């Protein structure tokens, strides 16, 4: 019996010390682009974005350079050139998206449609809900690659009346829009 326990203990020690059975890398690999942590929004990030941007919707277009298309540094240089060419013109941006973007939305000029807070990855979400409408932003790094983002519209369907410290029904249904002229 003692020999059996000794053999079992030895087997566990050998298997435990064997590099094939012990992980040498973290279980979930981190995608590193521009030394940023660019994982999907965590639950905390998603809830935080939804709280800060409650009642907002954004409509945006983007140009995506996937890691398989360009190295990160090359992608940033090329996107900066495209940004300078395009300016803030939505038509030129759509044409550039059709030509260069690695996203299926390129068929629609990079148009992603309307989305709410927390529906996009963190870096993308931050730009769409905090930066100026009608301006090309970027390059922005995410785990999908490098982006140029054109926010075409942002709507607010809910606004708190700070003067009255209450929410009248007419204010809740009122819709405020910022659009490109």
């Amino acid at each position: 019996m003692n020999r059996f326990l000794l053999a079992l203990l030895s087997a566990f020690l050998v298997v435990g010390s064997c590099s094939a059975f012990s992980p040498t890398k973290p279980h979930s690999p981190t995608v590193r682009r521009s030394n940023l942590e660019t994982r999907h929004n965590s639950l905390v990030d998603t809830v935080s974005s939804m709280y800060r941007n409650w009642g907002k919707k954004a409509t945006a277009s983007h140009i995506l350079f996937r890691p398989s298309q360009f190295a990160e540094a090359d992608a940033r240089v090329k996107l900066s050139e495209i940004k300078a060419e395009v300016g803030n013109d939505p038509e030129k941006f759509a044409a550039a998206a059709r030509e260069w973007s690695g996203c299926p939305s390129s068929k629609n000029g990079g148009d992603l449609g309307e989305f709410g807070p927390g529906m996009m990855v963190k870096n993308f979400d931050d730009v769409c809900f905090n930066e100026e409408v009608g301006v090309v932003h970027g390059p922005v790094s995410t785990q999908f690659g490098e982006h140029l983002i054109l926010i075409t519209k942002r709507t607010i369907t809910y606004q708190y009346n700070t003067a009255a410290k209450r929410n009248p029904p007419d204010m809740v249904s009122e819709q405020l829009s910022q659009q490109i002229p």
Side-chain angles (χ1 to χ4, degrees), residues 61-95:
S61 298
H62 77 136
I63 298 172
L64 167 66
F65 283 175
R66 294 184 183 277
S68 59
Q69 287 177 284
F70 291 95
E72 182 180 357
D74 296 338
R76 289 177 105 34
V77 168
K78 185 61 182 171
L79 285 171
S80 295
E81 291 171 7
I82 292 171
K83 184 177 179 179
E85 265 180 47
V86 167
N88 294 324
D89 184 355
E91 291 174 14
K92 288 181 181 178
F93 189 90

PDB file of all heavy atoms in Angstrom, residues 61-95:
ATOM      1  N   SER A  61     -20.073  56.128 -39.039  1.00  0.00           N
ATOM      2  CA  SER A  61     -19.425  55.370 -40.107  1.00  0.00           C
ATOM      3  C   SER A  61     -17.972  55.196 -39.706  1.00  0.00           C
ATOM      4  O   SER A  61     -17.444  55.984 -38.921  1.00  0.00           O
ATOM      5  CB  SER A  61     -19.503  56.134 -41.428  1.00  0.00           C
ATOM      6  OG  SER A  61     -20.840  56.320 -41.818  1.00  0.00           O
ATOM      7  N   HIS A  62     -17.339  54.167 -40.254  1.00  0.00           N
ATOM      8  CA  HIS A  62     -15.928  53.979 -39.914  1.00  0.00           C
ATOM      9  C   HIS A  62     -15.171  53.342 -41.070  1.00  0.00           C
ATOM     10  O   HIS A  62     -15.749  52.757 -41.981  1.00  0.00           O
ATOM     11  CB  HIS A  62     -15.780  53.131 -38.646  1.00  0.00           C
ATOM     12  CG  HIS A  62     -15.998  51.672 -38.856  1.00  0.00           C
ATOM     13  ND1 HIS A  62     -15.182  50.717 -38.312  1.00  0.00           N
ATOM     14  CD2 HIS A  62     -16.931  50.985 -39.550  1.00  0.00           C
ATOM     15  CE1 HIS A  62     -15.610  49.523 -38.643  1.00  0.00           C
ATOM     16  NE2 HIS A  62     -16.676  49.652 -39.405  1.00  0.00           N
ATOM     17  N   ILE A  63     -13.869  53.513 -40.996  1.00  0.00           N
ATOM     18  CA  ILE A  63     -12.936  52.829 -41.891  1.00  0.00           C
ATOM     19  C   ILE A  63     -12.081  51.967 -40.973  1.00  0.00           C
ATOM     20  O   ILE A  63     -11.494  52.464 -40.020  1.00  0.00           O
ATOM     21  CB  ILE A  63     -12.064  53.827 -42.673  1.00  0.00           C
ATOM     22  CG1 ILE A  63     -12.938  54.705 -43.567  1.00  0.00           C
ATOM     23  CG2 ILE A  63     -11.001  53.088 -43.481  1.00  0.00           C
ATOM     24  CD1 ILE A  63     -12.194  55.853 -44.243  1.00  0.00           C
ATOM     25  N   LEU A  64     -12.037  50.674 -41.259  1.00  0.00           N
ATOM     26  CA  LEU A  64     -11.300  49.731 -40.426  1.00  0.00           C
ATOM     27  C   LEU A  64     -10.134  49.143 -41.200  1.00  0.00           C
ATOM     28  O   LEU A  64     -10.303  48.668 -42.319  1.00  0.00           O
ATOM     29  CB  LEU A  64     -12.227  48.590 -39.978  1.00  0.00           C
ATOM     30  CG  LEU A  64     -11.556  47.366 -39.349  1.00  0.00           C
ATOM     31  CD1 LEU A  64     -10.899  47.730 -38.023  1.00  0.00           C
ATOM     32  CD2 LEU A  64     -12.571  46.256 -39.156  1.00  0.00           C
ATOM     33  N   PHE A  65      -8.968  49.189 -40.597  1.00  0.00           N
ATOM     34  CA  PHE A  65      -7.811  48.455 -41.096  1.00  0.00           C
ATOM     35  C   PHE A  65      -7.567  47.317 -40.126  1.00  0.00           C
ATOM     36  O   PHE A  65      -7.170  47.532 -38.984  1.00  0.00           O
ATOM     37  CB  PHE A  65      -6.568  49.338 -41.179  1.00  0.00           C
ATOM     38  CG  PHE A  65      -6.541  50.268 -42.359  1.00  0.00           C
ATOM     39  CD1 PHE A  65      -5.519  51.184 -42.492  1.00  0.00           C
ATOM     40  CD2 PHE A  65      -7.516  50.244 -43.337  1.00  0.00           C
ATOM     41  CE1 PHE A  65      -5.469  52.041 -43.578  1.00  0.00           C
ATOM     42  CE2 PHE A  65      -7.487  51.109 -44.415  1.00  0.00           C
ATOM     43  CZ  PHE A  65      -6.458  52.009 -44.538  1.00  0.00           C
ATOM     44  N   ARG A  66      -7.837  46.104 -40.569  1.00  0.00           N
ATOM     45  CA  ARG A  66      -7.636  44.916 -39.732  1.00  0.00           C
ATOM     46  C   ARG A  66      -6.145  44.634 -39.584  1.00  0.00           C
ATOM     47  O   ARG A  66      -5.352  44.995 -40.455  1.00  0.00           O
ATOM     48  CB  ARG A  66      -8.310  43.716 -40.374  1.00  0.00           C
ATOM     49  CG  ARG A  66      -9.814  43.826 -40.434  1.00  0.00           C
ATOM     50  CD  ARG A  66     -10.406  42.546 -41.011  1.00  0.00           C
ATOM     51  NE  ARG A  66     -11.829  42.642 -41.157  1.00  0.00           N
ATOM     52  CZ  ARG A  66     -12.704  42.416 -40.184  1.00  0.00           C
ATOM     53  NH1 ARG A  66     -12.270  42.110 -38.990  1.00  0.00           N
ATOM     54  NH2 ARG A  66     -13.994  42.530 -40.394  1.00  0.00           N
ATOM     55  N   PRO A  67      -5.761  43.949 -38.503  1.00  0.00           N
ATOM     56  CA  PRO A  67      -4.348  43.588 -38.334  1.00  0.00           C
ATOM     57  C   PRO A  67      -3.809  42.754 -39.491  1.00  0.00           C
ATOM     58  O   PRO A  67      -2.624  42.817 -39.798  1.00  0.00           O
ATOM     59  CB  PRO A  67      -4.338  42.785 -37.028  1.00  0.00           C
ATOM     60  CG  PRO A  67      -5.526  43.275 -36.282  1.00  0.00           C
ATOM     61  CD  PRO A  67      -6.555  43.600 -37.322  1.00  0.00           C
ATOM     62  N   SER A  68      -4.681  42.005 -40.172  1.00  0.00           N
ATOM     63  CA  SER A  68      -4.228  41.194 -41.305  1.00  0.00           C
ATOM     64  C   SER A  68      -3.970  42.044 -42.552  1.00  0.00           C
ATOM     65  O   SER A  68      -3.272  41.614 -43.461  1.00  0.00           O
ATOM     66  CB  SER A  68      -5.265  40.114 -41.632  1.00  0.00           C
ATOM     67  OG  SER A  68      -6.513  40.703 -41.946  1.00  0.00           O
ATOM     68  N   GLN A  69      -4.526  43.264 -42.589  1.00  0.00           N
ATOM     69  CA  GLN A  69      -4.311  44.146 -43.739  1.00  0.00           C
ATOM     70  C   GLN A  69      -2.996  44.916 -43.627  1.00  0.00           C
ATOM     71  O   GLN A  69      -2.268  45.032 -44.603  1.00  0.00           O
ATOM     72  CB  GLN A  69      -5.447  45.177 -43.843  1.00  0.00           C
ATOM     73  CG  GLN A  69      -6.767  44.641 -44.326  1.00  0.00           C
ATOM     74  CD  GLN A  69      -7.818  45.735 -44.320  1.00  0.00           C
ATOM     75  OE1 GLN A  69      -8.320  46.097 -43.270  1.00  0.00           O
ATOM     76  NE2 GLN A  69      -8.125  46.256 -45.489  1.00  0.00           N
ATOM     77  N   PHE A  70      -2.773  45.521 -42.459  1.00  0.00           N
ATOM     78  CA  PHE A  70      -1.610  46.386 -42.243  1.00  0.00           C
ATOM     79  C   PHE A  70      -1.066  46.152 -40.846  1.00  0.00           C
ATOM     80  O   PHE A  70      -1.819  45.856 -39.926  1.00  0.00           O
ATOM     81  CB  PHE A  70      -2.008  47.873 -42.314  1.00  0.00           C
ATOM     82  CG  PHE A  70      -2.407  48.374 -43.663  1.00  0.00           C
ATOM     83  CD1 PHE A  70      -3.750  48.404 -44.039  1.00  0.00           C
ATOM     84  CD2 PHE A  70      -1.463  48.836 -44.558  1.00  0.00           C
ATOM     85  CE1 PHE A  70      -4.138  48.882 -45.277  1.00  0.00           C
ATOM     86  CE2 PHE A  70      -1.836  49.313 -45.797  1.00  0.00           C
ATOM     87  CZ  PHE A  70      -3.168  49.333 -46.153  1.00  0.00           C
ATOM     88  N   ALA A  71       0.227  46.374 -40.687  1.00  0.00           N
ATOM     89  CA  ALA A  71       0.812  46.420 -39.346  1.00  0.00           C
ATOM     90  C   ALA A  71       0.255  47.674 -38.660  1.00  0.00           C
ATOM     91  O   ALA A  71      -0.169  48.618 -39.331  1.00  0.00           O
ATOM     92  CB  ALA A  71       2.329  46.498 -39.440  1.00  0.00           C
ATOM     93  N   GLU A  72       0.272  47.693 -37.347  1.00  0.00           N
ATOM     94  CA  GLU A  72      -0.337  48.805 -36.608  1.00  0.00           C
ATOM     95  C   GLU A  72       0.232  50.164 -37.003  1.00  0.00           C
ATOM     96  O   GLU A  72      -0.523  51.102 -37.270  1.00  0.00           O
ATOM     97  CB  GLU A  72      -0.153  48.594 -35.108  1.00  0.00           C
ATOM     98  CG  GLU A  72      -0.791  49.683 -34.276  1.00  0.00           C
ATOM     99  CD  GLU A  72      -0.595  49.467 -32.787  1.00  0.00           C
ATOM    100  OE1 GLU A  72      -0.023  48.457 -32.391  1.00  0.00           O
ATOM    101  OE2 GLU A  72      -1.020  50.351 -32.038  1.00  0.00           O
ATOM    102  N   ALA A  73       1.545  50.287 -37.066  1.00  0.00           N
ATOM    103  CA  ALA A  73       2.168  51.572 -37.407  1.00  0.00           C
ATOM    104  C   ALA A  73       1.808  51.992 -38.828  1.00  0.00           C
ATOM    105  O   ALA A  73       1.483  53.161 -39.074  1.00  0.00           O
ATOM    106  CB  ALA A  73       3.682  51.480 -37.246  1.00  0.00           C
ATOM    107  N   ASP A  74       1.826  51.050 -39.767  1.00  0.00           N
ATOM    108  CA  ASP A  74       1.472  51.354 -41.156  1.00  0.00           C
ATOM    109  C   ASP A  74       0.005  51.760 -41.263  1.00  0.00           C
ATOM    110  O   ASP A  74      -0.343  52.662 -42.026  1.00  0.00           O
ATOM    111  CB  ASP A  74       1.733  50.143 -42.061  1.00  0.00           C
ATOM    112  CG  ASP A  74       3.202  49.771 -42.122  1.00  0.00           C
ATOM    113  OD1 ASP A  74       4.057  50.644 -41.832  1.00  0.00           O
ATOM    114  OD2 ASP A  74       3.502  48.597 -42.445  1.00  0.00           O
ATOM    115  N   ALA A  75      -0.855  51.085 -40.504  1.00  0.00           N
ATOM    116  CA  ALA A  75      -2.285  51.400 -40.520  1.00  0.00           C
ATOM    117  C   ALA A  75      -2.528  52.814 -40.017  1.00  0.00           C
ATOM    118  O   ALA A  75      -3.304  53.574 -40.607  1.00  0.00           O
ATOM    119  CB  ALA A  75      -3.057  50.401 -39.663  1.00  0.00           C
ATOM    120  N   ARG A  76      -1.844  53.196 -38.947  1.00  0.00           N
ATOM    121  CA  ARG A  76      -2.022  54.540 -38.389  1.00  0.00           C
ATOM    122  C   ARG A  76      -1.557  55.614 -39.378  1.00  0.00           C
ATOM    123  O   ARG A  76      -2.198  56.644 -39.526  1.00  0.00           O
ATOM    124  CB  ARG A  76      -1.288  54.660 -37.061  1.00  0.00           C
ATOM    125  CG  ARG A  76      -1.977  53.848 -35.949  1.00  0.00           C
ATOM    126  CD  ARG A  76      -1.256  53.881 -34.648  1.00  0.00           C
ATOM    127  NE  ARG A  76      -1.719  54.673 -33.541  1.00  0.00           N
ATOM    128  CZ  ARG A  76      -2.950  54.945 -33.192  1.00  0.00           C
ATOM    129  NH1 ARG A  76      -3.933  54.566 -33.922  1.00  0.00           N
ATOM    130  NH2 ARG A  76      -3.228  55.655 -32.122  1.00  0.00           N
ATOM    131  N   VAL A  77      -0.452  55.358 -40.055  1.00  0.00           N
ATOM    132  CA  VAL A  77       0.062  56.318 -41.042  1.00  0.00           C
ATOM    133  C   VAL A  77      -0.932  56.454 -42.195  1.00  0.00           C
ATOM    134  O   VAL A  77      -1.288  57.567 -42.597  1.00  0.00           O
ATOM    135  CB  VAL A  77       1.459  55.889 -41.554  1.00  0.00           C
ATOM    136  CG1 VAL A  77       1.871  56.685 -42.773  1.00  0.00           C
ATOM    137  CG2 VAL A  77       2.497  56.018 -40.450  1.00  0.00           C
ATOM    138  N   LYS A  78      -1.383  55.342 -42.735  1.00  0.00           N
ATOM    139  CA  LYS A  78      -2.319  55.366 -43.872  1.00  0.00           C
ATOM    140  C   LYS A  78      -3.645  56.015 -43.468  1.00  0.00           C
ATOM    141  O   LYS A  78      -4.214  56.802 -44.228  1.00  0.00           O
ATOM    142  CB  LYS A  78      -2.543  53.949 -44.407  1.00  0.00           C
ATOM    143  CG  LYS A  78      -3.401  53.909 -45.652  1.00  0.00           C
ATOM    144  CD  LYS A  78      -2.752  54.680 -46.788  1.00  0.00           C
ATOM    145  CE  LYS A  78      -3.631  54.687 -48.019  1.00  0.00           C
ATOM    146  NZ  LYS A  78      -3.145  55.594 -49.049  1.00  0.00           N
ATOM    147  N   LEU A  79      -4.153  55.698 -42.271  1.00  0.00           N
ATOM    148  CA  LEU A  79      -5.401  56.314 -41.816  1.00  0.00           C
ATOM    149  C   LEU A  79      -5.244  57.822 -41.621  1.00  0.00           C
ATOM    150  O   LEU A  79      -6.169  58.587 -41.928  1.00  0.00           O
ATOM    151  CB  LEU A  79      -5.894  55.662 -40.522  1.00  0.00           C
ATOM    152  CG  LEU A  79      -6.510  54.276 -40.690  1.00  0.00           C
ATOM    153  CD1 LEU A  79      -6.766  53.637 -39.329  1.00  0.00           C
ATOM    154  CD2 LEU A  79      -7.792  54.328 -41.497  1.00  0.00           C
ATOM    155  N   SER A  80      -4.089  58.247 -41.164  1.00  0.00           N
ATOM    156  CA  SER A  80      -3.835  59.692 -41.028  1.00  0.00           C
ATOM    157  C   SER A  80      -3.836  60.369 -42.392  1.00  0.00           C
ATOM    158  O   SER A  80      -4.350  61.482 -42.545  1.00  0.00           O
ATOM    159  CB  SER A  80      -2.510  59.936 -40.311  1.00  0.00           C
ATOM    160  OG  SER A  80      -2.589  59.458 -38.992  1.00  0.00           O
ATOM    161  N   GLU A  81      -3.269  59.701 -43.398  1.00  0.00           N
ATOM    162  CA  GLU A  81      -3.290  60.243 -44.765  1.00  0.00           C
ATOM    163  C   GLU A  81      -4.729  60.334 -45.281  1.00  0.00           C
ATOM    164  O   GLU A  81      -5.114  61.344 -45.873  1.00  0.00           O
ATOM    165  CB  GLU A  81      -2.465  59.355 -45.703  1.00  0.00           C
ATOM    166  CG  GLU A  81      -0.980  59.389 -45.456  1.00  0.00           C
ATOM    167  CD  GLU A  81      -0.220  58.337 -46.270  1.00  0.00           C
ATOM    168  OE1 GLU A  81      -0.836  57.654 -47.128  1.00  0.00           O
ATOM    169  OE2 GLU A  81       0.992  58.196 -46.038  1.00  0.00           O
ATOM    170  N   ILE A  82      -5.505  59.289 -45.058  1.00  0.00           N
ATOM    171  CA  ILE A  82      -6.907  59.278 -45.504  1.00  0.00           C
ATOM    172  C   ILE A  82      -7.680  60.378 -44.780  1.00  0.00           C
ATOM    173  O   ILE A  82      -8.480  61.098 -45.396  1.00  0.00           O
ATOM    174  CB  ILE A  82      -7.551  57.896 -45.266  1.00  0.00           C
ATOM    175  CG1 ILE A  82      -6.916  56.865 -46.195  1.00  0.00           C
ATOM    176  CG2 ILE A  82      -9.061  57.957 -45.477  1.00  0.00           C
ATOM    177  CD1 ILE A  82      -7.318  55.434 -45.909  1.00  0.00           C
ATOM    178  N   LYS A  83      -7.430  60.543 -43.491  1.00  0.00           N
ATOM    179  CA  LYS A  83      -8.111  61.577 -42.702  1.00  0.00           C
ATOM    180  C   LYS A  83      -7.807  62.967 -43.259  1.00  0.00           C
ATOM    181  O   LYS A  83      -8.706  63.806 -43.371  1.00  0.00           O
ATOM    182  CB  LYS A  83      -7.665  61.473 -41.242  1.00  0.00           C
ATOM    183  CG  LYS A  83      -8.357  62.426 -40.302  1.00  0.00           C
ATOM    184  CD  LYS A  83      -7.886  62.183 -38.871  1.00  0.00           C
ATOM    185  CE  LYS A  83      -8.534  63.142 -37.909  1.00  0.00           C
ATOM    186  NZ  LYS A  83      -8.105  62.896 -36.522  1.00  0.00           N
ATOM    187  N   ALA A  84      -6.560  63.208 -43.645  1.00  0.00           N
ATOM    188  CA  ALA A  84      -6.187  64.496 -44.223  1.00  0.00           C
ATOM    189  C   ALA A  84      -6.857  64.706 -45.582  1.00  0.00           C
ATOM    190  O   ALA A  84      -7.311  65.812 -45.896  1.00  0.00           O
ATOM    191  CB  ALA A  84      -4.671  64.586 -44.362  1.00  0.00           C
ATOM    192  N   GLU A  85      -6.943  63.652 -46.392  1.00  0.00           N
ATOM    193  CA  GLU A  85      -7.594  63.720 -47.704  1.00  0.00           C
ATOM    194  C   GLU A  85      -9.083  64.006 -47.589  1.00  0.00           C
ATOM    195  O   GLU A  85      -9.640  64.815 -48.309  1.00  0.00           O
ATOM    196  CB  GLU A  85      -7.446  62.384 -48.437  1.00  0.00           C
ATOM    197  CG  GLU A  85      -6.298  62.276 -49.375  1.00  0.00           C
ATOM    198  CD  GLU A  85      -6.282  60.900 -50.031  1.00  0.00           C
ATOM    199  OE1 GLU A  85      -7.345  60.436 -50.503  1.00  0.00           O
ATOM    200  OE2 GLU A  85      -5.195  60.303 -50.063  1.00  0.00           O
ATOM    201  N   VAL A  86      -9.724  63.289 -46.690  1.00  0.00           N
ATOM    202  CA  VAL A  86     -11.175  63.328 -46.547  1.00  0.00           C
ATOM    203  C   VAL A  86     -11.653  64.601 -45.848  1.00  0.00           C
ATOM    204  O   VAL A  86     -12.723  65.123 -46.172  1.00  0.00           O
ATOM    205  CB  VAL A  86     -11.648  62.069 -45.762  1.00  0.00           C
ATOM    206  CG1 VAL A  86     -13.071  62.187 -45.304  1.00  0.00           C
ATOM    207  CG2 VAL A  86     -11.452  60.832 -46.597  1.00  0.00           C
ATOM    208  N   GLY A  87     -10.887  65.093 -44.904  1.00  0.00           N
ATOM    209  CA  GLY A  87     -11.355  66.212 -44.088  1.00  0.00           C
ATOM    210  C   GLY A  87     -12.523  65.718 -43.249  1.00  0.00           C
ATOM    211  O   GLY A  87     -12.463  64.653 -42.661  1.00  0.00           O
ATOM    212  N   ASN A  88     -13.600  66.489 -43.234  1.00  0.00           N
ATOM    213  CA  ASN A  88     -14.805  66.076 -42.512  1.00  0.00           C
ATOM    214  C   ASN A  88     -15.979  65.899 -43.462  1.00  0.00           C
ATOM    215  O   ASN A  88     -17.134  65.995 -43.054  1.00  0.00           O
ATOM    216  CB  ASN A  88     -15.144  67.092 -41.420  1.00  0.00           C
ATOM    217  CG  ASN A  88     -14.092  67.118 -40.332  1.00  0.00           C
ATOM    218  OD1 ASN A  88     -13.530  66.095 -39.975  1.00  0.00           O
ATOM    219  ND2 ASN A  88     -13.807  68.295 -39.820  1.00  0.00           N
ATOM    220  N   ASP A  89     -15.679  65.632 -44.735  1.00  0.00           N
ATOM    221  CA  ASP A  89     -16.706  65.477 -45.757  1.00  0.00           C
ATOM    222  C   ASP A  89     -17.267  64.055 -45.738  1.00  0.00           C
ATOM    223  O   ASP A  89     -16.550  63.093 -46.030  1.00  0.00           O
ATOM    224  CB  ASP A  89     -16.100  65.779 -47.129  1.00  0.00           C
ATOM    225  CG  ASP A  89     -17.109  65.728 -48.258  1.00  0.00           C
ATOM    226  OD1 ASP A  89     -18.281  65.367 -48.012  1.00  0.00           O
ATOM    227  OD2 ASP A  89     -16.720  66.055 -49.399  1.00  0.00           O
ATOM    228  N   PRO A  90     -18.571  63.899 -45.420  1.00  0.00           N
ATOM    229  CA  PRO A  90     -19.157  62.558 -45.337  1.00  0.00           C
ATOM    230  C   PRO A  90     -19.119  61.780 -46.654  1.00  0.00           C
ATOM    231  O   PRO A  90     -18.968  60.554 -46.645  1.00  0.00           O
ATOM    232  CB  PRO A  90     -20.608  62.813 -44.913  1.00  0.00           C
ATOM    233  CG  PRO A  90     -20.631  64.182 -44.362  1.00  0.00           C
ATOM    234  CD  PRO A  90     -19.518  64.926 -45.017  1.00  0.00           C
ATOM    235  N   GLU A  91     -19.244  62.475 -47.779  1.00  0.00           N
ATOM    236  CA  GLU A  91     -19.222  61.787 -49.074  1.00  0.00           C
ATOM    237  C   GLU A  91     -17.833  61.248 -49.390  1.00  0.00           C
ATOM    238  O   GLU A  91     -17.686  60.118 -49.865  1.00  0.00           O
ATOM    239  CB  GLU A  91     -19.713  62.723 -50.177  1.00  0.00           C
ATOM    240  CG  GLU A  91     -21.201  63.035 -50.048  1.00  0.00           C
ATOM    241  CD  GLU A  91     -21.680  64.076 -51.045  1.00  0.00           C
ATOM    242  OE1 GLU A  91     -20.938  64.385 -52.013  1.00  0.00           O
ATOM    243  OE2 GLU A  91     -22.799  64.571 -50.851  1.00  0.00           O
ATOM    244  N   LYS A  92     -16.804  62.036 -49.128  1.00  0.00           N
ATOM    245  CA  LYS A  92     -15.432  61.571 -49.336  1.00  0.00           C
ATOM    246  C   LYS A  92     -15.096  60.438 -48.367  1.00  0.00           C
ATOM    247  O   LYS A  92     -14.395  59.490 -48.723  1.00  0.00           O
ATOM    248  CB  LYS A  92     -14.431  62.716 -49.150  1.00  0.00           C
ATOM    249  CG  LYS A  92     -14.449  63.738 -50.267  1.00  0.00           C
ATOM    250  CD  LYS A  92     -13.411  64.805 -50.018  1.00  0.00           C
ATOM    251  CE  LYS A  92     -13.422  65.868 -51.104  1.00  0.00           C
ATOM    252  NZ  LYS A  92     -12.427  66.930 -50.816  1.00  0.00           N
ATOM    253  N   PHE A  93     -15.610  60.545 -47.141  1.00  0.00           N
ATOM    254  CA  PHE A  93     -15.382  59.495 -46.146  1.00  0.00           C
ATOM    255  C   PHE A  93     -16.000  58.182 -46.621  1.00  0.00           C
ATOM    256  O   PHE A  93     -15.366  57.128 -46.540  1.00  0.00           O
ATOM    257  CB  PHE A  93     -15.971  59.900 -44.789  1.00  0.00           C
ATOM    258  CG  PHE A  93     -15.590  58.973 -43.668  1.00  0.00           C
ATOM    259  CD1 PHE A  93     -14.445  59.195 -42.923  1.00  0.00           C
ATOM    260  CD2 PHE A  93     -16.375  57.873 -43.359  1.00  0.00           C
ATOM    261  CE1 PHE A  93     -14.084  58.326 -41.893  1.00  0.00           C
ATOM    262  CE2 PHE A  93     -16.028  57.003 -42.336  1.00  0.00           C
ATOM    263  CZ  PHE A  93     -14.883  57.242 -41.606  1.00  0.00           C
ATOM    264  N   ALA A  94     -17.229  58.232 -47.133  1.00  0.00           N
ATOM    265  CA  ALA A  94     -17.910  57.027 -47.627  1.00  0.00           C
ATOM    266  C   ALA A  94     -17.141  56.406 -48.794  1.00  0.00           C
ATOM    267  O   ALA A  94     -16.992  55.179 -48.872  1.00  0.00           O
ATOM    268  CB  ALA A  94     -19.336  57.353 -48.033  1.00  0.00           C
ATOM    269  N   ALA A  95     -16.632  57.253 -49.687  1.00  0.00           N
ATOM    270  CA  ALA A  95     -15.854  56.743 -50.825  1.00  0.00           C
ATOM    271  C   ALA A  95     -14.563  56.073 -50.343  1.00  0.00           C
ATOM    272  O   ALA A  95     -14.191  54.998 -50.829  1.00  0.00           O
ATOM    273  CB  ALA A  95     -15.545  57.883 -51.789  1.00  0.00           C
TER     274      ALA A  95
END
